[in-house]
Amino acid sequence: HRHLLNDLYTLLPHSRKDAKLDTKTKLYQLNELAELYNCNNVFFFEARKGKDLYLWMSKAPNGPTVKMHMQNLHTMEELHFTGNCLKGSRPILSFDASFDKAPYLLVIKELLLHIFGVPKGARKTKPFVDHVMGFTLADGKIWIRCYQINETEPSKLKAPDTDEGEMAVDGEGKKGRGKGGKDTDISLVEIGPRFVLTPIVVLEGSFGGPVIYENKEFVSPNQVRSEIRLSKAGRYNRRSEQGVERKVKKGELGLRSEGGRMKEKSELDDSVLFA
């Protein structure tokens, strides 16, 4: 999880990183930290049981706050993508049109804009825009990707199979105008990191207050693991019940008795010798 935090810290040059928080219940203390560092937005990672990672996004000090569950985490070092961007550059934020369909999605969109949108002239920033952050909504989850804007000059050589007057153009990229008015092919190369967010609850205040929205379809990872354990225990119970049923069936068929009476145990039987 700390590698993901370092990746996000490099993507947000104007941000400040702090040490671990001692408590998991008194989250309102984060508002004091934000005021101490003169920050308007808080990005808090909460790890539970070393397996589950929850993300709190808040607009300090008045709110709102969004709690999300993070899944499918992949850092820059893990992915080994070829994309690269200048350290300290500002991103273009691209949002799916689905964010405008529900009020709670508009709140989440505004929070993401405030957090990932690097303001012009902020500390440690450079006056360049060379990467795009994409926020896509699918299956009730927010999929986040980061791409480099790659500009290349198109080749002036004719393709061997093209007719006269036609130029070979990269189908994946789009044409644009670079420096000096030259035509360039623009393509996107993924940088990383990538992760998926599942909204759980939206609070009116900063790390507190009344609940504005609650995701009724969200199932906690603890419940998923407990159901898996119960299913495994159910298989064992079924096998033990089948063993009891076999014994009863043998008794009904007379396989465990002589003339309707139970077989007398021999004096040499283990249960008699070692009783």
Side-chain angles (χ1 to χ4, degrees):
H1 299 158
R2 66 179 184 274
H3 299 293
L4 176 67
L5 182 61
N6 291 331
D7 291 345
L8 292 174
Y9 182 65
T10 55
L11 288 175
L12 304 173
H14 66 302
S15 61
R16 291 181 180 271
K17 187 170 61 172
D18 196 61
K20 294 180 180 178
L21 191 68
D22 295 335
T23 177
K24 290 186 178 181
T25 55
K26 301 176 182 179
L27 296 182
Y28 56 84
Q29 295 178 0
L30 293 168
N31 295 324
E32 300 175 5
L33 281 175
E35 185 179 358
L36 183 64
Y37 286 124
N38 196 19
C39 296
N40 297 325
N41 306 290
V42 180
F43 215 57
F44 176 63
F45 292 92
E46 181 184 358
R48 294 181 181 175
K49 297 185 177 180
K51 303 175 183 178
D52 309 325
L53 184 64
Y54 294 90
L55 172 66
W56 294 77
M57 295 189 305
S58 175
K59 186 75 177 172
N62 298 321
T65 304
V66 180
K67 181 184 179 183
M68 298 186 179
H69 180 227
M70 297 188 74
Q71 294 172 298
N72 302 335
L73 311 176
H74 300 285
T75 59
M76 292 183 184
E77 295 180 358
E78 180 185 351
L79 293 171
H80 298 293
F81 281 131
T82 57
N84 190 15
C85 64
L86 188 68
K87 188 174 182 179
S89 61
R90 300 170 60 218
I92 297 174
L93 303 182
S94 174
F95 286 91
D96 191 3
S98 303
F99 278 92
D100 300 329
K101 293 183 178 178
Y104 79 96
L105 291 174
L106 287 171
V107 174
I108 295 174
K109 177 182 177 181
E110 196 67 23
L111 270 175
L112 292 172
L113 272 171
H114 286 213
I115 290 175
F116 289 100
V118 180
K120 188 176 181 180
R123 56 184 288 272
K124 295 185 180 181
T125 58
K126 295 181 175 62
F128 303 107
V129 177
D130 62 351
H131 62 285
V132 180
M133 292 197 71
F135 302 89
T136 308
L137 192 69
D139 298 331
K141 298 178 175 61
I142 301 171
W143 305 69
I144 298 179
R145 300 286 186 270
C146 187
Y147 300 92
Q148 173 200 358
I149 303 173
N150 189 20
E151 295 186 10
T152 56
E153 293 187 5
S155 176
K156 295 181 180 179
L157 297 175
K158 292 182 180 179
D161 297 334
T162 54
D163 298 332
E164 294 183 0
E166 293 181 0
M167 300 292 291
V169 180
D170 185 11
E172 296 180 359
K174 294 183 179 180
K175 280 197 169 183
R177 292 230 172 236
K179 294 181 180 179
K182 294 182 180 179
D183 289 336
T184 57
D185 287 339
I186 300 175
S187 59
L188 297 178
V189 184
E190 188 164 0
I191 304 171
R194 54 163 64 170
F195 50 92
V196 181
L197 301 175
T198 305
I200 302 175
V201 69
V202 180
L203 305 177
E204 185 177 351
S206 180
F207 297 104
V211 177
I212 301 175
Y213 167 78
E214 185 179 0
N215 188 3
K216 301 292 185 181
E217 298 178 356
F218 175 74
V219 180
S220 67
N222 285 333
Q223 187 173 349
V224 173
R225 287 192 289 266
S226 67
E227 288 177 357
I228 292 173
R229 287 195 296 268
L230 286 175
S231 64
K232 290 181 180 178
R235 287 201 296 268
Y236 170 75
N237 293 334
R238 284 194 296 272
R239 285 198 300 269
S240 60
E241 288 174 1
Q242 288 172 0
V244 173
E245 289 176 358
R246 278 197 301 271
K247 288 182 179 180
V248 172
K249 192 175 290 184
K250 284 181 180 180
E252 291 176 353
L253 294 175
L255 299 176
R256 301 182 65 217
S257 62
E258 290 182 351
R261 295 176 300 173
M262 292 295 294
K263 291 182 180 179
E264 296 181 359
K265 291 184 178 180
S266 173
E267 295 179 354
L268 300 176
D269 192 70
D270 291 343
S271 60
V272 176
L273 287 173
F274 301 103

